[in-house]
Amino acid sequence: MEKNEEDNKTSPTKFLLLGMGHMPTLHVPLFLLSLIIYLVTVIGNTLVVVLVVLEQHLHTPMYTFLGTLSSLETWYSSTILPRLLASFLTGDRTISAHGCMAQFYFFSSFAATECYLLGVMSYDRYLAICQPLLYPSLMTWKVCLQLVAASWLVGMLVSATVTAFLSQINFCGPKVINHFFCDFTPLLELSCSDTSVVTVISFIVCFLSIIFPFLFTLVSYVCIIAAILRIPSSISRQKAFSTCSSHLIVVTIFYVTLLIVYLLPRTGPLRQLNKVFSFFYTVLTPLVNPLIYSLRNREVREALRK
């Protein structure tokens, strides 16, 4: 009896990702759909990065941020979709404990980095529209590269902090993760040890890496929209709004789905809905970002024609 209790408190060497396992008849169409999404995501975002690097007239801070975002989206989707594709193809939905922690680290790292990067991009648009005369002196290449590096560095550090605390807790129960990837809340539900410390740490990190960048982005766009509305010429207003509309769409899609996922109660009926919204911000957002920027941006369209 004591031995069984001791075994239950031992962290497992493998987890079972339920994913879409309750719908085996849909595995083939889901595999094909996921494969198409992944290929289009990688090709589309890689193309944006190549355009930003090769086209001389795109060598500006705004397009540097866009190229960084596209490269980030490629890595972001690559932490989830290849593993999901393999599970559809082979039927093996197990993942090692170390592999699960690695997936969580890279996923959360890229997600936090994207939050900071979207905030940096909103600050860039704020300077361009609200402080146009000071923009060249405020947003220099040095400042641009420092902001990009800081977004990556802080994203990796906050993710490493949460992952380090999460890896120290004991997991027990059925060792089944009711999700299609290793996310924080589904992992925490399997814990049989005290999770108060990791919960507090995750709350602080969540505020610093999601809520704070979101509020910063929101305030930036309130100022941007207020400045645009004060422009007397309708043509000038339209031109000013077109420079930030693509970014505003991307920010809205990303944060709406992200906040729904982490604010939605994880009760039985809502778990499947939680997976759907998780699919939106982890898989579909990296897919639509290059499409939104290429279709709504004249300079990117011209570069694509060349």
Side-chain angles (χ1 to χ4, degrees):
M1 186 71 177
E2 289 179 2
K3 187 178 184 302
N4 289 336
E5 289 179 1
E6 187 178 339
D7 290 341
N8 280 337
K9 291 182 180 179
T10 304
S11 292
T13 56
K14 286 187 177 182
F15 292 103
L16 177 67
L17 288 167
L18 283 185
M20 309 297 177
H22 61 289
M23 298 183 293
T25 55
L26 295 179
H27 279 193
V28 172
L30 284 173
F31 170 80
L32 294 174
L33 177 63
S34 300
L35 179 62
I36 293 169
I37 289 174
Y38 184 57
L39 291 176
V40 173
T41 299
V42 172
I43 294 170
N45 283 292
T46 303
L47 183 59
V48 171
V49 174
V50 171
L51 288 175
V52 171
V53 171
L54 296 182
E55 287 296 322
Q56 191 70 31
H57 70 282
L58 297 182
H59 291 179
T60 63
M62 182 178 80
Y63 291 107
T64 300
F65 293 135
L66 174 57
T68 305
L69 178 65
S70 293
S71 65
L72 176 65
E73 299 287 29
T74 304
W75 293 109
Y76 188 55
S77 58
S78 295
T79 62
I80 295 172
L81 278 175
R83 179 69 190 76
L84 188 62
L85 287 168
S87 68
F88 284 141
L89 195 62
T90 64
D92 181 13
R93 290 177 286 132
T94 60
I95 183 171
S96 68
H98 293 299
C100 191
M101 287 299 161
Q103 186 185 54
F104 171 75
Y105 167 73
F106 286 111
F107 157 74
S108 57
S109 175
F110 295 141
T113 301
E114 181 161 354
C115 290
Y116 288 116
L117 191 60
L118 291 174
V120 166
M121 292 173 75
S122 69
Y123 174 66
D124 174 71
R125 291 301 83 206
Y126 165 78
L127 290 179
I129 293 172
C130 300
Q131 307 287 339
L133 298 178
L134 297 176
Y135 180 78
S137 60
L138 293 175
M139 188 53 71
T140 61
W141 271 110
K142 182 180 179 181
V143 172
C144 172
L145 296 178
Q146 286 175 340
L147 289 172
V148 169
S151 299
W152 280 95
L153 182 61
V154 176
M156 289 188 289
L157 286 176
V158 296
S159 175
T161 303
V162 177
T163 306
F165 279 94
L166 188 62
S167 62
Q168 298 303 311
I169 64 176
N170 291 320
F171 298 98
C172 55
K175 303 179 179 79
V176 174
I177 299 173
N178 190 11
H179 215 330
F180 59 89
F181 68 98
C182 294
D183 201 1
F184 179 79
T185 305
L187 275 171
L188 208 63
E189 289 175 347
L190 303 182
S191 173
C192 52
S193 56
D194 183 19
T195 60
S196 57
V197 175
V198 71
T199 301
V200 171
I201 295 294
S202 67
F203 178 80
I204 296 170
V205 166
C206 181
F207 177 81
L208 293 175
S209 59
I210 298 178
I211 305 300
F212 176 72
F214 170 70
L215 294 176
F216 180 83
T217 304
L218 186 63
V219 170
S220 297
Y221 270 101
V222 169
C223 296
I224 288 170
I225 293 170
I228 291 174
L229 292 176
R230 287 195 298 267
I231 298 174
S233 170
S234 60
I235 296 175
S236 298
R237 278 201 305 269
Q238 186 177 359
K239 185 178 178 181
F241 187 73
S242 67
T243 63
C244 61
S245 58
S246 299
H247 182 241
L248 185 58
I249 293 170
V250 169
V251 166
T252 303
I253 294 172
F254 179 76
Y255 273 114
V256 166
T257 52
L258 181 67
L259 292 173
I260 288 174
V261 166
Y262 290 105
L263 294 178
L264 199 68
R266 290 186 61 81
T267 55
L270 294 177
R271 285 180 187 271
Q272 297 306 318
L273 188 61
N274 190 287
K275 290 182 188 178
V276 171
F277 281 109
S278 294
F279 190 81
F280 265 97
Y281 89 90
T282 58
V283 176
L284 293 185
T285 302
L287 171 69
V288 300
N289 281 1
L291 297 177
I292 291 172
Y293 279 111
S294 60
L295 292 176
R296 297 183 61 87
N297 190 294
R298 181 177 56 82
E299 291 180 311
V300 174
R301 290 200 304 269
E302 288 177 358
L304 279 171
R305 289 193 193 100
K306 291 180 182 179

